[in-house]
Amino acid sequence: MWLEKLKLNKSLVRSITDEGFISPKEMQARTLTRIVGGQDIIGIGPEGCGKTSTYILGVLNKLKQGFEDAPRALILVPDKERVEEVMAEIERLNKNKTIRVVGLYAAPAIESQLNALADGCDIVVATPDRARAIYLKLALNLNKILMFVVDDAELIVKQGLQLPVVELANSIQKCQHLVFSEVIHERLEKMIDPFMRQPVLIEVEELGETTVSTHPQLLYQLPNFRTKLNLLSLLLDDAEIFTKTVVFVNTRLTAEKVYNHLKVRLKGEIAILNPVFFESAGLESIDEFYESDTVRVLIIADELQGNLDLQGLPFIIHAELPEDKQTFISRIINSDSGGEEVLAITLSTDFELPVVRRIEQAIGQKMPVADLPEDLIVDVEQRDPERKVQTHKAPKETEERGAAFHEKKASNAKDYNYSSGLKAKMNKKKKH
């Protein structure tokens, strides 16, 4: 399979077989032939789908022999730990000891990295900022680069390292570009558009087997946190629908920020579980929230909170996604089949989409993507500090949406099997 269909050289096939790779994964099977053919590739897939081994095999297959003083492949990754992981993977798959690899990352002594480059290498694995810094010192020769690879691109964008990536890519006259990421969104597209040449998008989805029963879910994809606050205001204004609702955030300071945004409109109907500040309305336990006749919205921070009994609450909203996916999953498990139906709503920015994908892998199902309300105010972030932040309404169906609002894929176009009561709630009607 490796030799016949993927067009890898025999020595590389031998090293793959020795390492126990019996057959290629879907990402490798769909991507390697295109890499061998010289196409620009955007590979999207979950953690563990084989993205790293795919481009390493592609690079090793193209280089074949190490004989140049200047590098012929530049691989950009988010941090030092990832540099070391990729170098270890190259070492594992590369049986050709003439190919030399150098790692560049932030370290106290830059001289050792400069010396390693001066001695000659074939592959450079680097963080974007360190590679750019050394390039500006005229110590990183990009004249012979054949392959330019960006791995974990979504994390590079999250760290704000788009500019070094684009500058390095534009400093190379002509080469093949490979970009790999767990998700693709508007910010990532803006980074790679200047240097990608008619790329082929290859997307792999690997969902696990459905092992748990979860509450019905809805996912709202939003551009930033301010728009999340606007959506929360819009949803929670309706007291007839959102009777008892918990809103989860990651930190107690964020809980205060959400509370301050909502308290003017919700007045005495909102509280924080164990607030930081004395002047904020607070409750000491989830039981107190259940018993309250006035408070219908409770903001809960993951900090200092253990397992909570959420049975009987009709709405669970995650305004932020917890770092531990198991924490999220434990809250949406439907353990009471005979009780009232519960709706779990998740608000996600582009940066949080990788966490969403990992959760979907774990529960074996996609979160249905909800359309944004037409009267939602979408805050637009401005880079120029002298310009005021502008706002506009969410685009209607007849308007063309930006790249951050992708069309739903076929896998997300599902008919929701909600009860009539829950449908009435989401349609803002009373059940008769």
Side-chain angles (χ1 to χ4, degrees), residues 372-375 392-401 407:
L372 299 181
E374 291 186 0
D375 51 347
H392 61 81
K393 286 191 175 182
K396 297 182 180 180
E397 292 182 1
T398 56
E399 297 173 345
E400 183 178 353
R401 286 183 168 180
E407 292 293 332

Side-chain angles (χ1 to χ4, degrees), residues 21 24-31 43-54 151 180-182 202-207 361:
F21 291 90
K25 294 184 177 181
E26 182 181 354
M27 175 64 75
Q28 296 159 347
R30 295 176 57 188
T31 307
I44 308 298
E47 184 179 7
C49 74
K51 298 189 296 290
T52 302
S53 57
T54 296
D151 193 13
F180 291 88
S181 174
E182 286 194 28
I202 298 175
E203 192 163 2
V204 172
E205 290 185 356
E206 293 185 358
L207 295 177
Q361 278 184 276

Side-chain angles (χ1 to χ4, degrees), residues 262-310:
L262 298 175
K263 69 178 181 180
V264 176
R265 304 178 71 160
L266 300 184
K267 303 187 186 315
E269 298 178 320
I270 185 171
I272 304 176
L273 185 63
N274 298 318
V276 175
F277 302 115
F278 177 77
E279 59 270 19
S280 299
L283 300 179
E284 295 183 357
S285 69
I286 191 76
D287 292 333
E288 191 177 347
F289 176 57
Y290 281 113
E291 296 167 0
S292 175
D293 295 328
T294 56
V295 178
R296 64 181 178 88
V297 178
L298 181 64
I299 305 170
I300 304 177
D302 289 336
E303 290 180 344
L304 308 179
Q305 305 297 341
N307 294 327
L308 299 172
D309 181 10
L310 303 178

Side-chain angles (χ1 to χ4, degrees), residues 102-119 130 134 139:
V102 169
L104 306 178
Y105 48 82
I110 194 174
E111 290 78 10
S112 60
Q113 296 178 4
L114 296 177
N115 292 336
L117 288 173
D119 292 338
R130 178 49 67 102
I134 293 180

Side-chain angles (χ1 to χ4, degrees), residues 76-87:
L76 300 180
V77 294
D79 49 43
K80 173 186 175 182
E81 291 72 21
R82 193 72 181 115
V83 169
E84 294 174 340
E85 289 173 5
V86 172
M87 292 180 67

Side-chain angles (χ1 to χ4, degrees), residues 94-157:
N94 177 36
K95 305 302 181 183
N96 184 350
K97 299 307 177 183
T98 64
I99 292 179
R100 298 154 294 179
V101 184
V102 169
L104 306 178
Y105 48 82
I110 194 174
E111 290 78 10
S112 60
Q113 296 178 4
L114 296 177
N115 292 336
L117 288 173
D119 292 338
C121 68
D122 301 285
I123 302 173
V124 171
V125 184
T127 58
D129 49 350
R130 178 49 67 102
R132 177 177 177 269
I134 293 180
Y135 171 74
L136 293 177
K137 290 178 178 290
L138 305 180
L140 177 59
N141 186 351
L142 301 179
N143 292 331
K144 294 185 178 181
I145 293 292
L146 300 176
M147 302 184 74
F148 180 84
V149 183
V150 183
D151 193 13
D152 293 327
E154 79 284 356
L155 297 181
I156 289 177
V157 172

Side-chain angles (χ1 to χ4, degrees), residues 188-353:
L188 195 155
E189 290 173 340
K190 284 183 177 179
M191 179 182 75
I192 65 179
D193 279 349
F195 58 85
M196 297 294 281
R197 295 176 290 106
Q198 297 181 331
V200 176
L201 176 64
I202 298 175
E203 192 163 2
V204 172
E205 290 185 356
E206 293 185 358
L207 295 177
E209 295 183 2
T210 303
T211 56
V212 295
S213 173
T214 65
H215 299 307
Q217 298 184 71
L218 283 180
L219 172 67
Y220 286 97
Q221 295 183 359
L222 303 159
N224 48 55
F225 187 77
R226 290 196 301 271
T227 307
K228 284 186 179 183
L229 295 178
N230 295 340
L231 180 59
L232 281 174
S233 296
L234 199 61
L235 296 176
L236 297 176
D237 267 353
D238 196 328
E240 291 185 4
I241 296 178
F242 290 88
T243 51
K244 281 287 185 179
T245 305
V246 291
V247 178
F248 284 102
V249 294
N250 288 341
T251 68
R252 298 171 76 190
L253 290 178
T254 305
E256 296 285 347
K257 184 182 297 185
V258 174
Y259 171 79
N260 289 329
H261 182 83
L262 298 175
K263 69 178 181 180
V264 176
R265 304 178 71 160
L266 300 184
K267 303 187 186 315
E269 298 178 320
I270 185 171
I272 304 176
L273 185 63
N274 298 318
V276 175
F277 302 115
F278 177 77
E279 59 270 19
S280 299
L283 300 179
E284 295 183 357
S285 69
I286 191 76
D287 292 333
E288 191 177 347
F289 176 57
Y290 281 113
E291 296 167 0
S292 175
D293 295 328
T294 56
V295 178
R296 64 181 178 88
V297 178
L298 181 64
I299 305 170
I300 304 177
D302 289 336
E303 290 180 344
L304 308 179
Q305 305 297 341
N307 294 327
L308 299 172
D309 181 10
L310 303 178
Q311 295 299 319
L313 294 174
F315 291 96
I316 299 172
I317 299 178
H318 282 89
E320 289 185 313
L321 287 161
E323 294 183 4
D324 183 7
K325 64 184 179 185
Q326 293 302 327
T327 300
F328 179 97
I329 294 172
S330 67
R331 295 169 182 162
I332 64 169
I333 290 177
N334 184 10
S335 57
D336 185 10
S337 58
E340 184 179 349
E341 195 165 11
V342 178
L343 181 63
I345 299 175
T346 302
L347 314 184
S348 170
T349 63
D350 290 343
F351 294 148
E352 293 171 305
L353 283 179

